[in-house]
Amino acid sequence: MEMVTKILATTNEVSLKGRNRKWFEQKITENVRRVLADLQLERVERPAWRVLVTFSAPVPFQEAARRMATVFGIASIMPVENVGHTTDDVISALPQRLEGLNPSSFAVRCLRSDKTFPKTSIELERDLGSEVVALTGWKVDLTHPDLTVHLLVDRDGLYLWTRRVAGPGGLPSGSGGKATCMLSGGIDSPVAAYQMMKRGVRLDFVHFHSVPRTDPASLEKVVDLARILARYQGRCRLAMVPLLPIQEQIVANCPARLRVLLYRRFMIRISQRLASRFKAPALVTGESLGQVASQTIENLTAVESIARVPIFRPLISLDKQEIINTARRMGSFETSILPHFDCCSFLVPERPATRSTPRELDKAEESLDIDSLISEALAGVEIMTIDEPAPWSDIPIPHGAEDLS
Ligand code: ATP
Ligand code: MG
């Protein structure tokens, strides 16, 4: 097991943000502190637009890297060592650092954030390169090296590293505003949530259930999914909404082929009311074009014509397999595939409409008292706060850290 006392992380896209850069870096720092707090964390600093984490005692690198891979805005995660202040210090640290490695070729890359250092980056790369050749006999390849030996020259010392673990990319949580995600118990909506969080959006969640027609135990699964998502942003809210009375009215009064579309309209109407309560006035769904009858362009359009807030559908163009790949990577897949009884999986007609229109749905709703159905549902809402601080037992291992357990 590789133990470390320092980790350096690079940040993603943040350099593009000009004036906001400081704020972005600060958000990332806060989030790194949040996920590492109980792990002998000593301090988090920001040399040269990077994030430098120092632990008060050695910690397993893989555990720290897994946690840091939940912090959006981080591009890569490296176990680094402060080897001293002079070129000679670096040279004496090389044998231990390169031990056990056997690359087909290598290059040295140097980053000099301390411009007062007596050697330029190019001089340092050349000097260290020839030291490595003398030490190991490895072949130099500056264009496609198998291994890169990195050196950061910072004011508080020289940092050396060779391993690089992929971060999640994206933008720091909170930098992209707020939205409310309609969370079912399935595979898709947690992935939609993850994708929006990745762009810096903070989310609260709404779930519709048909208790007592469905098992109250199925609500546990949705809470578990919200807990998994909370790892990526910290605390969030989850509203549980009773949909059964509305479904019964729709079944009794409206054409069977439009049922699912009408359920969805009510979900949107209620979600946007909750979204305004959460001060997160945009909706997110896990819909993907053509996946089921309710997700044709015509039906999505007919359903959303009653929406008063924007609806984001980050999965609209993705294949199921692509969605599943992300679900595995972010850790929701195993929970999503547990059996559950979705509120839409009963009272569903055999031949649902595939091409509805706003007008057709408006007409089908004429016999319903929409406002009082919404008020009744809102009166039965239960809102819970979900928080899931580290440690987490089952978070995925990021790419590049697989061999470290
Ligand atoms: P998922 O895998 O997320 O359940 P799905 O492929 O089963 O999605 P639908 O059941 O048609 O698709 O739902 C489409 C979207 O509508 C979901 O991704 C989710 O955003 C929202 N939705 C569906 N059912 C519910 C529910 N019970 N509570 C909250 N949102 C829901
Ligand atoms: Mg579903």
Side-chain angles (χ1 to χ4, degrees), residues 257-366:
R257 48 190 283 282
L258 301 179
R259 272 180 204 165
V260 175
L261 306 181
L262 298 173
Y263 301 161
R264 285 273 185 278
R265 272 195 164 189
F266 276 90
M267 288 189 190
I268 291 175
R269 290 184 176 111
I270 295 165
S271 297
Q272 64 195 7
R273 294 280 285 270
L274 290 165
S276 99
R277 206 183 288 177
F278 292 150
K279 299 200 169 30
L283 300 182
V284 176
T285 77
E287 286 155 320
S288 162
L289 198 61
Q291 195 188 77
V292 287
S294 59
Q295 295 171 25
T296 61
I297 287 186
E298 291 86 349
N299 282 347
L300 291 171
T301 309
V303 167
E304 80 166 16
S305 68
I306 49 86
R308 285 183 280 106
V309 297
I311 302 178
F312 294 108
R313 300 182 175 94
L315 311 187
I316 198 71
S317 69
L318 298 188
D319 293 346
K320 195 74 186 186
Q321 192 55 51
E322 294 173 296
I323 298 170
I324 289 173
N325 293 347
T326 306
R328 285 189 199 280
R329 200 150 31 80
M330 55 81 73
S332 62
F333 183 72
E334 299 301 330
T335 304
S336 284
I337 58 173
L338 296 172
H340 80 296
F341 216 149
D342 188 71
C343 72
C344 296
S345 57
F346 76 107
L347 305 178
V348 166
E350 271 180 20
R351 282 174 203 277
T354 52
R355 281 165 195 227
S356 183
T357 62
R359 178 81 200 100
E360 189 183 13
L361 297 188
D362 292 347
K363 211 161 157 23
E365 287 176 332
E366 272 170 8

Side-chain angles (χ1 to χ4, degrees), residues 93-102 135-136 138 162:
L94 277 176
Q96 202 213 345
R97 213 56 211 176
L98 303 181
E99 202 188 316
L101 300 175
N102 190 20
L135 201 63
T136 63
W138 295 344
T162 51

Side-chain angles (χ1 to χ4, degrees), residues 4 47 67 106 110 119 142 238 268-269:
V4 287
R67 294 183 185 200
F106 85 101
C110 177
K119 284 189 183 176
L142 298 181
L238 170 62
I268 291 175
R269 290 184 176 111

